Amino acid sequence: MKHLIDKLYETHNLEEDEFIYLLENYDKEAGDYLYSLARTCSQVHYEKEVYIRGLIEFTNYCKNDCYYCGIRKSNKNASRYRLSKDEILSCCESGYELGFRTFVLQGGEDPAFTDEAVVDIVKTIREGYPDCAITLSIGEKTYDQYLKYYEAGANRYLLRHETADEEHYSLLHPGSLSLENRKECLRNLKKIGYQVGTGFMVGSPYQTPKCLAEDLAFIKELSPQMVGIGPFIPHKDTPFASFPAGSVDLTLFLIGILRLMLPNALLPSTTALGTLDPKGREKGILSGANVLMPNLSPIGVRKKYELYDNKICTGEEAAECNVCLRNRVASVGYHVVEKRGDFKE
Ligand code: SAM
Ligand code: FES
């Protein structure tokens, strides 16, 4: 096992059967070895700095029906909301005061936010906060739409590919969505010049070690600046309500692998990790992650952006989360920095 981890550290890649072997056979000793190399790697590029991104969940309306997602359009129990432009701007204002220099606008695919509306919001944030990065995470759009947002001032885009296996993709999504289009969107975003983030859920229903090896191969080929992974967590009002949650240990092991594959990537330690394990986000950092994405959404809507059951940090003010996270990061010997935290070439 150790020789495969050494090979990954030296060459930044493995063959599919080698990844599958690692994922099926890793144990605590292999994990500890991987994480120590992953920490070395992240510290070479980013020292012990952890970047924070202020997440603004601005709409939970969605025209899609992904089987795993709590805000899917068929969930009649979801209480829907949209933030107004002023509400979004006031999230940015309080976030800036708390030290955030990246705002992530995330939402379902909500047709009410037309291109004009998105462009207007992005332009206003760009003018008000010229020193901040603006990240969009609003799903699949055409090349021209992505270009408009970029020209308005957006710099980064998060779009997880979810799974790189065709058959697995069709088990997670209805026929209206395709892996081919998802990949095309990611390639277009890169072409335009966005810093691009992709990723997947760990332990989603029907996922096999082979699917994960395909995810890793796709990520290597795309070579994104950011990779977000987190455990799948069931939501009670979805078709996947009775599936088990993904494994925290496997998620951490994959974070370690990703750090060795893409040594200078921006890797978040996700809220889903913190939801399954009270120390999940700290463990993510110790496995090679270097980004946290706390919530800046108004407290009144937090619970409504419920992608999965028992999501944490829905009852705390942004200021409380900010202090809590800084303490958590410090407890493992790292520190939060107030920078844009761009990808380092
Ligand atoms: N609509 C945008 C998109 O499709 O990229 C952004 C919002 S979408 C809800 C953000 C991410 O949440 C998805 O990429 C998915 O990986 C994750 N997610 C959704 N349901 C989840 C669940 N039940 N457990 C863990 N993560 C989930
Ligand atoms: Fe929100 Fe800890 S990060 S309460």
Side-chain angles (χ1 to χ4, degrees):
M1 195 107 52
K2 193 165 168 285
H3 73 282
L4 288 179
I5 297 173
D6 285 333
K7 181 177 170 193
L8 181 60
Y9 181 61
E10 280 152 25
T11 66
H12 310 301
N13 207 1
L14 291 179
E15 301 295 331
E16 181 177 283
D17 58 336
E18 294 174 324
F19 274 133
I20 292 176
Y21 180 85
L22 268 187
L23 296 170
E24 285 180 335
N25 296 290
Y26 75 95
D27 54 13
K28 181 167 183 323
E29 198 184 329
D32 289 344
Y33 185 59
L34 174 69
Y35 306 142
S36 77
L37 292 181
R39 286 194 296 272
T40 304
C41 225
S42 60
Q43 286 167 28
V44 165
H45 297 279
Y46 294 100
E47 301 168 26
K48 286 192 157 188
E49 296 187 344
V50 172
Y51 299 135
I52 45 171
R53 321 300 197 191
L55 185 61
I56 305 170
E57 298 161 333
F58 70 96
T59 172
N60 71 350
Y61 282 85
C62 192
K63 67 179 168 72
N64 292 332
D65 224 6
C66 306
Y67 302 139
Y68 44 82
C69 185
I71 60 170
R72 64 198 300 268
K73 77 168 176 210
S74 296
N75 181 7
K76 301 286 177 257
N77 293 331
S79 156
R80 305 285 171 176
Y81 73 91
R82 292 184 178 103
L83 297 186
S84 66
K85 181 180 170 187
D86 283 347
E87 286 172 315
I88 295 173
L89 290 171
S90 99
C91 293
C92 296
E93 194 180 322
S94 51
Y96 193 89
E97 273 165 32
L98 292 171
F100 289 90
R101 295 296 176 266
T102 293
F103 303 118
V104 182
L105 299 184
Q106 191 182 81
E109 289 194 24
D110 180 357
F113 283 92
T114 58
D115 287 348
E116 289 64 37
V118 173
V119 163
D120 177 46
I121 292 165
V122 169
K123 269 194 178 153
T124 310
I125 300 176
R126 175 54 55 240
E127 280 158 19
Y129 303 93
D131 55 334
C132 291
I134 303 172
T135 306
L136 294 178
S137 179
I138 53 175
E140 298 181 17
K141 308 279 175 181
T142 64
Y143 182 95
D144 289 343
Q145 290 178 295
Y146 287 145
L147 184 62
K148 277 189 207 164
Y149 312 152
Y150 187 78
E151 286 173 349
N155 321 85
R156 305 184 189 142
Y157 205 101
L158 303 180
L159 184 76
R160 290 181 175 183
H161 66 281
E162 313 294 0
T163 172
D165 182 278
E166 290 278 2
E167 195 190 329
H168 188 213
Y169 196 93
S170 68
L171 293 168
L172 299 183
H173 304 97
S176 53
L177 295 168
S178 78
L179 176 58
E180 203 30 64
N181 191 53
R182 200 86 179 165
K183 287 181 172 174
E184 182 64 14
C185 287
L186 286 161
R187 286 190 282 264
N188 285 340
L189 288 162
K190 274 204 99 181
K191 221 181 283 169
I192 290 168
Y194 283 96
Q195 291 178 40
V196 173
T198 194
F200 55 90
M201 289 175 289
V202 178
S204 58
Y206 312 109
Q207 186 179 62
T208 62
K210 185 170 187 304
C211 295
L212 289 170
E214 289 174 78
D215 287 324
L216 295 172
F218 170 69
I219 289 170
K220 188 69 194 175
E221 180 203 320
L222 179 71
S223 187
Q225 286 83 8
M226 305 169 274
V227 185
I229 65 167
F232 160 76
I233 304 176
H235 184 289
K236 58 185 184 317
D237 298 316
T238 63
F240 290 164
S242 56
F243 279 87
S247 145
V248 169
D249 282 346
L250 182 56
T251 306
L252 297 172
F253 196 71
L254 281 157
I255 290 175
I257 289 180
L258 286 165
R259 172 57 67 206
L260 298 196
M261 274 176 62
L262 304 172
N264 47 349
L266 296 157
L267 302 179
S269 191
T270 54
T271 304
L273 251 184
T275 296
L276 289 188
D277 180 333
K279 294 260 183 257
R281 286 167 296 177
E282 293 88 318
K283 289 179 185 173
I285 290 165
L286 292 175
S287 307
N290 64 336
V291 172
L292 288 168
M293 297 175 61
N295 207 315
L296 291 181
S297 312
I299 211 131
V301 304
R302 295 256 185 114
K303 274 198 177 26
K304 298 181 181 171
Y305 198 84
E306 201 189 31
L307 307 180
Y308 46 79
D309 292 335
N310 306 318
K311 190 173 159 211
I312 52 167
C313 300
T314 54
E316 285 80 12
E317 293 291 349
E320 287 175 65
C321 281
N322 195 40
V323 172
C324 164
L325 278 183
R326 281 168 194 260
N327 289 337
R328 285 173 184 272
V329 169
S331 75
V332 289
Y334 285 66
H335 54 276
V336 165
V337 289
E338 298 185 358
K339 295 181 184 171
R340 272 173 60 123
D342 284 301
F343 175 74
K344 293 187 185 168
E345 290 294 340

Short mmCIF file of all heavy atoms in Angstrom, two decimals, residues 220-271:
data_model
loop_
_atom_site.label_atom_id
_atom_site.label_comp_id
_atom_site.label_asym_id
_atom_site.label_seq_id
_atom_site.Cartn_x
_atom_site.Cartn_y
_atom_site.Cartn_z
N LYS A 220 -8.16 14.35 -12.86
CA LYS A 220 -6.76 14.52 -13.31
C LYS A 220 -6.74 15.13 -14.71
O LYS A 220 -5.97 16.04 -15.00
CB LYS A 220 -6.07 13.15 -13.30
CG LYS A 220 -4.59 13.22 -13.56
CD LYS A 220 -3.86 13.88 -12.41
CE LYS A 220 -2.45 14.27 -12.80
NZ LYS A 220 -1.75 15.02 -11.77
N GLU A 221 -7.63 14.62 -15.56
CA GLU A 221 -7.66 15.09 -16.95
C GLU A 221 -8.14 16.55 -17.03
O GLU A 221 -7.57 17.38 -17.73
CB GLU A 221 -8.61 14.18 -17.74
CG GLU A 221 -8.76 14.51 -19.21
CD GLU A 221 -10.09 13.97 -19.74
OE1 GLU A 221 -10.48 12.84 -19.37
OE2 GLU A 221 -10.73 14.70 -20.52
N LEU A 222 -9.18 16.87 -16.26
CA LEU A 222 -9.71 18.24 -16.29
C LEU A 222 -8.73 19.23 -15.66
O LEU A 222 -8.62 20.37 -16.08
CB LEU A 222 -11.05 18.29 -15.55
CG LEU A 222 -11.75 19.64 -15.47
CD1 LEU A 222 -12.31 20.03 -16.84
CD2 LEU A 222 -12.88 19.64 -14.44
N SER A 223 -8.03 18.75 -14.64
CA SER A 223 -7.09 19.58 -13.89
C SER A 223 -7.72 20.89 -13.40
O SER A 223 -7.29 21.99 -13.76
CB SER A 223 -5.88 19.85 -14.80
OG SER A 223 -4.90 20.51 -14.09
N PRO A 224 -8.76 20.77 -12.56
CA PRO A 224 -9.43 21.97 -12.05
C PRO A 224 -8.60 22.66 -10.96
O PRO A 224 -7.69 22.05 -10.40
CB PRO A 224 -10.72 21.39 -11.45
CG PRO A 224 -10.33 20.02 -11.01
CD PRO A 224 -9.26 19.54 -11.96
N GLN A 225 -8.94 23.90 -10.67
CA GLN A 225 -8.23 24.63 -9.61
C GLN A 225 -8.78 24.26 -8.22
O GLN A 225 -8.13 24.45 -7.22
CB GLN A 225 -8.39 26.14 -9.83
CG GLN A 225 -7.56 26.69 -10.97
CD GLN A 225 -8.21 26.53 -12.33
OE1 GLN A 225 -9.37 26.14 -12.46
NE2 GLN A 225 -7.48 26.84 -13.39
N MET A 226 -10.04 23.78 -8.20
CA MET A 226 -10.68 23.43 -6.91
C MET A 226 -11.39 22.09 -7.06
O MET A 226 -11.91 21.79 -8.13
CB MET A 226 -11.73 24.49 -6.55
CG MET A 226 -11.16 25.90 -6.53
SD MET A 226 -12.44 27.16 -6.41
CE MET A 226 -12.89 27.43 -8.10
N VAL A 227 -11.40 21.32 -5.98
CA VAL A 227 -12.16 20.06 -5.99
C VAL A 227 -12.90 19.96 -4.66
O VAL A 227 -12.28 19.90 -3.60
CB VAL A 227 -11.27 18.81 -6.16
CG1 VAL A 227 -12.15 17.56 -6.27
CG2 VAL A 227 -10.37 18.92 -7.37
N GLY A 228 -14.24 19.93 -4.73
CA GLY A 228 -15.04 19.82 -3.51
C GLY A 228 -15.63 18.42 -3.41
O GLY A 228 -16.37 17.99 -4.30
N ILE A 229 -15.27 17.71 -2.35
CA ILE A 229 -15.92 16.43 -2.12
C ILE A 229 -16.47 16.40 -0.70
O ILE A 229 -15.92 17.02 0.21
CB ILE A 229 -14.99 15.22 -2.35
CG1 ILE A 229 -13.84 15.18 -1.33
CG2 ILE A 229 -14.43 15.20 -3.76
CD1 ILE A 229 -13.11 13.85 -1.32
N GLY A 230 -17.58 15.69 -0.53
CA GLY A 230 -18.15 15.54 0.80
C GLY A 230 -18.96 14.27 0.80
O GLY A 230 -19.35 13.78 -0.27
N PRO A 231 -19.22 13.73 1.98
CA PRO A 231 -20.02 12.51 2.02
C PRO A 231 -21.45 12.76 1.57
O PRO A 231 -22.02 13.82 1.84
CB PRO A 231 -19.98 12.11 3.50
CG PRO A 231 -19.67 13.37 4.23
CD PRO A 231 -18.84 14.21 3.31
N PHE A 232 -22.03 11.79 0.88
CA PHE A 232 -23.48 11.82 0.61
C PHE A 232 -24.19 11.68 1.95
O PHE A 232 -23.78 10.89 2.81
CB PHE A 232 -23.87 10.65 -0.31
CG PHE A 232 -25.34 10.31 -0.24
CD1 PHE A 232 -26.28 11.12 -0.88
CD2 PHE A 232 -25.78 9.22 0.49
CE1 PHE A 232 -27.64 10.83 -0.79
CE2 PHE A 232 -27.15 8.92 0.59
CZ PHE A 232 -28.07 9.72 -0.06
N ILE A 233 -25.25 12.47 2.15
CA ILE A 233 -26.07 12.35 3.35
C ILE A 233 -27.52 12.30 2.89
O ILE A 233 -27.95 13.17 2.12
CB ILE A 233 -25.86 13.55 4.31
CG1 ILE A 233 -24.36 13.70 4.66
CG2 ILE A 233 -26.69 13.38 5.59
CD1 ILE A 233 -24.03 14.92 5.53
N PRO A 234 -28.28 11.29 3.31
CA PRO A 234 -29.65 11.19 2.80
C PRO A 234 -30.53 12.35 3.27
O PRO A 234 -30.30 12.92 4.34
CB PRO A 234 -30.15 9.86 3.37
CG PRO A 234 -29.26 9.54 4.51
CD PRO A 234 -27.94 10.21 4.25
N HIS A 235 -31.51 12.69 2.45
CA HIS A 235 -32.53 13.67 2.83
C HIS A 235 -33.86 12.95 2.86
O HIS A 235 -34.20 12.22 1.92
CB HIS A 235 -32.55 14.83 1.81
CG HIS A 235 -33.51 15.91 2.21
ND1 HIS A 235 -34.88 15.74 2.18
CD2 HIS A 235 -33.29 17.16 2.68
CE1 HIS A 235 -35.47 16.84 2.61
NE2 HIS A 235 -34.52 17.72 2.92
N LYS A 236 -34.63 13.19 3.91
CA LYS A 236 -35.84 12.39 4.14
C LYS A 236 -36.90 12.50 3.05
O LYS A 236 -37.69 11.58 2.86
CB LYS A 236 -36.45 12.75 5.50
CG LYS A 236 -36.82 14.22 5.65
CD LYS A 236 -37.30 14.53 7.05
CE LYS A 236 -37.78 15.97 7.20
NZ LYS A 236 -36.92 17.00 6.55
N ASP A 237 -36.91 13.59 2.29
CA ASP A 237 -37.94 13.76 1.27
C ASP A 237 -37.43 13.52 -0.15
O ASP A 237 -37.88 14.18 -1.10
CB ASP A 237 -38.53 15.18 1.34
CG ASP A 237 -39.20 15.42 2.68
OD1 ASP A 237 -39.93 14.53 3.14
OD2 ASP A 237 -38.98 16.50 3.26
N THR A 238 -36.45 12.63 -0.30
CA THR A 238 -35.93 12.32 -1.64
C THR A 238 -36.05 10.81 -1.88
O THR A 238 -36.21 10.04 -0.92
CB THR A 238 -34.43 12.69 -1.75
OG1 THR A 238 -33.70 11.89 -0.81
CG2 THR A 238 -34.17 14.16 -1.48
N PRO A 239 -35.92 10.39 -3.14
CA PRO A 239 -35.97 8.94 -3.42
C PRO A 239 -34.85 8.18 -2.73
O PRO A 239 -34.94 6.96 -2.59
CB PRO A 239 -35.80 8.88 -4.94
CG PRO A 239 -36.19 10.23 -5.45
CD PRO A 239 -35.83 11.20 -4.37
N PHE A 240 -33.78 8.85 -2.30
CA PHE A 240 -32.66 8.17 -1.67
C PHE A 240 -32.71 8.24 -0.13
O PHE A 240 -31.70 8.03 0.55
CB PHE A 240 -31.32 8.78 -2.15
CG PHE A 240 -30.99 8.46 -3.58
CD1 PHE A 240 -30.00 9.19 -4.26
CD2 PHE A 240 -31.62 7.43 -4.27
CE1 PHE A 240 -29.67 8.91 -5.58
CE2 PHE A 240 -31.30 7.14 -5.60
CZ PHE A 240 -30.33 7.87 -6.26
N ALA A 241 -33.91 8.55 0.40
CA ALA A 241 -34.05 8.74 1.85
C ALA A 241 -33.51 7.57 2.67
O ALA A 241 -32.95 7.75 3.74
CB ALA A 241 -35.51 8.96 2.20
N SER A 242 -33.67 6.35 2.15
CA SER A 242 -33.30 5.21 2.99
C SER A 242 -31.89 4.67 2.72
O SER A 242 -31.50 3.65 3.28
CB SER A 242 -34.33 4.09 2.83
OG SER A 242 -34.42 3.76 1.48
N PHE A 243 -31.14 5.36 1.87
CA PHE A 243 -29.75 4.91 1.65
C PHE A 243 -28.86 5.40 2.80
O PHE A 243 -29.12 6.45 3.38
CB PHE A 243 -29.21 5.48 0.33
CG PHE A 243 -29.66 4.68 -0.87
CD1 PHE A 243 -30.88 4.95 -1.48
CD2 PHE A 243 -28.88 3.64 -1.36
CE1 PHE A 243 -31.30 4.20 -2.57
CE2 PHE A 243 -29.30 2.90 -2.44
CZ PHE A 243 -30.51 3.17 -3.06
N PRO A 244 -27.80 4.63 3.11
CA PRO A 244 -26.91 5.08 4.20
C PRO A 244 -26.05 6.27 3.76
O PRO A 244 -25.81 6.45 2.56
CB PRO A 244 -26.03 3.86 4.46
CG PRO A 244 -26.07 3.07 3.19
CD PRO A 244 -27.39 3.35 2.53
N ALA A 245 -25.58 7.03 4.73
CA ALA A 245 -24.66 8.15 4.43
C ALA A 245 -23.31 7.58 4.02
O ALA A 245 -22.96 6.44 4.34
CB ALA A 245 -24.52 9.03 5.66
N GLY A 246 -22.54 8.41 3.31
CA GLY A 246 -21.18 8.03 2.93
C GLY A 246 -20.26 8.00 4.15
O GLY A 246 -20.63 8.44 5.24
N SER A 247 -19.05 7.47 3.94
CA SER A 247 -18.13 7.30 5.06
C SER A 247 -17.21 8.52 5.22
O SER A 247 -16.66 9.03 4.24
CB SER A 247 -17.30 6.03 4.79
OG SER A 247 -15.99 6.17 5.26
N VAL A 248 -17.09 8.96 6.47
CA VAL A 248 -16.17 10.08 6.76
C VAL A 248 -14.74 9.64 6.46
O VAL A 248 -13.96 10.37 5.83
CB VAL A 248 -16.31 10.52 8.24
CG1 VAL A 248 -15.20 11.48 8.64
CG2 VAL A 248 -17.67 11.15 8.46
N ASP A 249 -14.37 8.43 6.88
CA ASP A 249 -12.99 7.97 6.67
C ASP A 249 -12.63 7.92 5.19
O ASP A 249 -11.54 8.35 4.80
CB ASP A 249 -12.79 6.56 7.27
CG ASP A 249 -12.63 6.64 8.78
OD1 ASP A 249 -12.42 7.76 9.30
OD2 ASP A 249 -12.75 5.60 9.44
N LEU A 250 -13.56 7.40 4.38
CA LEU A 250 -13.27 7.32 2.94
C LEU A 250 -13.16 8.74 2.34
O LEU A 250 -12.32 9.00 1.49
CB LEU A 250 -14.34 6.50 2.22
CG LEU A 250 -14.15 6.29 0.72
CD1 LEU A 250 -12.79 5.64 0.42
CD2 LEU A 250 -15.28 5.42 0.13
N THR A 251 -14.00 9.66 2.82
CA THR A 251 -13.92 11.03 2.33
C THR A 251 -12.55 11.63 2.64
O THR A 251 -11.90 12.25 1.79
CB THR A 251 -15.03 11.91 2.96
OG1 THR A 251 -16.29 11.28 2.74
CG2 THR A 251 -15.05 13.31 2.34
N LEU A 252 -12.08 11.40 3.89
CA LEU A 252 -10.78 11.94 4.27
C LEU A 252 -9.67 11.31 3.43
O LEU A 252 -8.75 12.00 2.97
CB LEU A 252 -10.52 11.68 5.77
CG LEU A 252 -11.50 12.35 6.73
CD1 LEU A 252 -11.27 11.86 8.16
CD2 LEU A 252 -11.37 13.88 6.67
N PHE A 253 -9.78 10.01 3.21
CA PHE A 253 -8.76 9.32 2.42
C PHE A 253 -8.72 9.89 0.99
O PHE A 253 -7.64 10.12 0.43
CB PHE A 253 -9.07 7.81 2.39
CG PHE A 253 -7.91 6.97 1.95
CD1 PHE A 253 -6.79 6.81 2.76
CD2 PHE A 253 -7.92 6.35 0.71
CE1 PHE A 253 -5.70 6.04 2.34
CE2 PHE A 253 -6.84 5.58 0.28
CZ PHE A 253 -5.74 5.42 1.10
N LEU A 254 -9.89 10.19 0.45
CA LEU A 254 -9.94 10.77 -0.90
C LEU A 254 -9.41 12.20 -0.93
O LEU A 254 -8.80 12.62 -1.91
CB LEU A 254 -11.38 10.69 -1.44
CG LEU A 254 -11.75 9.29 -1.96
CD1 LEU A 254 -13.26 9.08 -1.95
CD2 LEU A 254 -11.20 9.08 -3.38
N ILE A 255 -9.62 12.95 0.15
CA ILE A 255 -9.04 14.30 0.21
C ILE A 255 -7.51 14.18 0.15
O ILE A 255 -6.83 14.90 -0.58
CB ILE A 255 -9.48 15.06 1.49
CG1 ILE A 255 -10.97 15.41 1.41
CG2 ILE A 255 -8.65 16.33 1.69
CD1 ILE A 255 -11.54 16.06 2.66
N GLY A 256 -6.97 13.21 0.90
CA GLY A 256 -5.51 12.99 0.89
C GLY A 256 -5.03 12.63 -0.52
O GLY A 256 -4.02 13.16 -1.00
N ILE A 257 -5.75 11.74 -1.18
CA ILE A 257 -5.38 11.35 -2.55
C ILE A 257 -5.42 12.57 -3.49
O ILE A 257 -4.49 12.80 -4.28
CB ILE A 257 -6.34 10.25 -3.08
CG1 ILE A 257 -6.06 8.93 -2.35
CG2 ILE A 257 -6.22 10.08 -4.59
CD1 ILE A 257 -6.94 7.76 -2.78
N LEU A 258 -6.49 13.36 -3.37
CA LEU A 258 -6.61 14.54 -4.25
C LEU A 258 -5.46 15.53 -4.01
O LEU A 258 -4.95 16.14 -4.96
CB LEU A 258 -7.96 15.23 -4.03
CG LEU A 258 -9.16 14.47 -4.62
CD1 LEU A 258 -10.48 15.02 -4.05
CD2 LEU A 258 -9.16 14.59 -6.15
N ARG A 259 -5.07 15.68 -2.75
CA ARG A 259 -3.95 16.61 -2.46
C ARG A 259 -2.67 16.14 -3.15
O ARG A 259 -1.93 16.95 -3.70
CB ARG A 259 -3.77 16.74 -0.94
CG ARG A 259 -2.54 17.51 -0.50
CD ARG A 259 -2.49 18.93 -1.06
NE ARG A 259 -3.54 19.77 -0.54
CZ ARG A 259 -4.03 20.85 -1.20
NH1 ARG A 259 -3.55 21.19 -2.39
NH2 ARG A 259 -4.99 21.58 -0.66
N LEU A 260 -2.43 14.82 -3.16
CA LEU A 260 -1.21 14.34 -3.82
C LEU A 260 -1.34 14.41 -5.34
O LEU A 260 -0.36 14.63 -6.05
CB LEU A 260 -0.88 12.91 -3.39
CG LEU A 260 -0.58 12.67 -1.91
CD1 LEU A 260 0.11 11.32 -1.71
CD2 LEU A 260 0.28 13.77 -1.30
N MET A 261 -2.57 14.24 -5.84
CA MET A 261 -2.77 14.31 -7.30
C MET A 261 -2.63 15.73 -7.84
O MET A 261 -2.07 15.95 -8.90
CB MET A 261 -4.20 13.85 -7.64
CG MET A 261 -4.36 12.36 -7.81
SD MET A 261 -6.11 11.99 -8.09
CE MET A 261 -6.43 12.85 -9.61
N LEU A 262 -3.22 16.68 -7.09
CA LEU A 262 -3.22 18.09 -7.53
C LEU A 262 -2.63 18.90 -6.37
O LEU A 262 -3.36 19.50 -5.58
CB LEU A 262 -4.65 18.55 -7.82
CG LEU A 262 -5.47 17.76 -8.84
CD1 LEU A 262 -6.91 18.25 -8.84
CD2 LEU A 262 -4.89 17.93 -10.25
N PRO A 263 -1.29 18.91 -6.27
CA PRO A 263 -0.66 19.45 -5.05
C PRO A 263 -1.05 20.89 -4.71
O PRO A 263 -1.11 21.25 -3.54
CB PRO A 263 0.84 19.37 -5.36
CG PRO A 263 0.95 18.36 -6.45
CD PRO A 263 -0.32 18.40 -7.23
N ASN A 264 -1.32 21.72 -5.73
CA ASN A 264 -1.64 23.12 -5.42
C ASN A 264 -3.13 23.45 -5.54
O ASN A 264 -3.51 24.61 -5.58
CB ASN A 264 -0.82 24.07 -6.29
CG ASN A 264 -0.82 23.68 -7.74
OD1 ASN A 264 -1.27 22.59 -8.10
ND2 ASN A 264 -0.32 24.56 -8.60
N ALA A 265 -3.98 22.43 -5.56
CA ALA A 265 -5.42 22.68 -5.69
C ALA A 265 -6.00 23.28 -4.42
O ALA A 265 -5.42 23.15 -3.33
CB ALA A 265 -6.14 21.37 -6.01
N LEU A 266 -7.14 23.94 -4.58
CA LEU A 266 -7.89 24.45 -3.43
C LEU A 266 -8.92 23.38 -3.08
O LEU A 266 -9.77 23.03 -3.90
CB LEU A 266 -8.56 25.77 -3.81
CG LEU A 266 -7.54 26.87 -4.13
CD1 LEU A 266 -8.15 27.95 -5.01
CD2 LEU A 266 -6.99 27.46 -2.85
N LEU A 267 -8.79 22.82 -1.88
CA LEU A 267 -9.65 21.69 -1.48
C LEU A 267 -10.44 22.06 -0.22
O LEU A 267 -9.85 22.22 0.85
CB LEU A 267 -8.80 20.45 -1.17
CG LEU A 267 -7.87 19.90 -2.26
CD1 LEU A 267 -7.11 18.68 -1.74
CD2 LEU A 267 -8.68 19.52 -3.49
N PRO A 268 -11.75 22.19 -0.33
CA PRO A 268 -12.52 22.52 0.87
C PRO A 268 -12.74 21.32 1.79
O PRO A 268 -12.83 20.18 1.35
CB PRO A 268 -13.87 23.00 0.31
CG PRO A 268 -13.98 22.38 -1.02
CD PRO A 268 -12.58 22.19 -1.54
N SER A 269 -12.80 21.64 3.06
CA SER A 269 -13.24 20.68 4.06
C SER A 269 -14.71 21.03 4.27
O SER A 269 -15.03 22.10 4.78
CB SER A 269 -12.42 20.89 5.34
OG SER A 269 -12.64 19.83 6.22
N THR A 270 -15.60 20.16 3.82
CA THR A 270 -17.00 20.58 3.60
C THR A 270 -17.90 20.51 4.83
O THR A 270 -17.63 19.78 5.79
CB THR A 270 -17.63 19.71 2.48
OG1 THR A 270 -17.48 18.33 2.85
CG2 THR A 270 -16.95 19.94 1.15
N THR A 271 -19.00 21.25 4.72
CA THR A 271 -20.01 21.23 5.79
C THR A 271 -20.59 19.83 5.96
O THR A 271 -20.92 19.41 7.08
CB THR A 271 -21.14 22.23 5.41
OG1 THR A 271 -20.53 23.51 5.19
CG2 THR A 271 -22.18 22.35 6.50
#
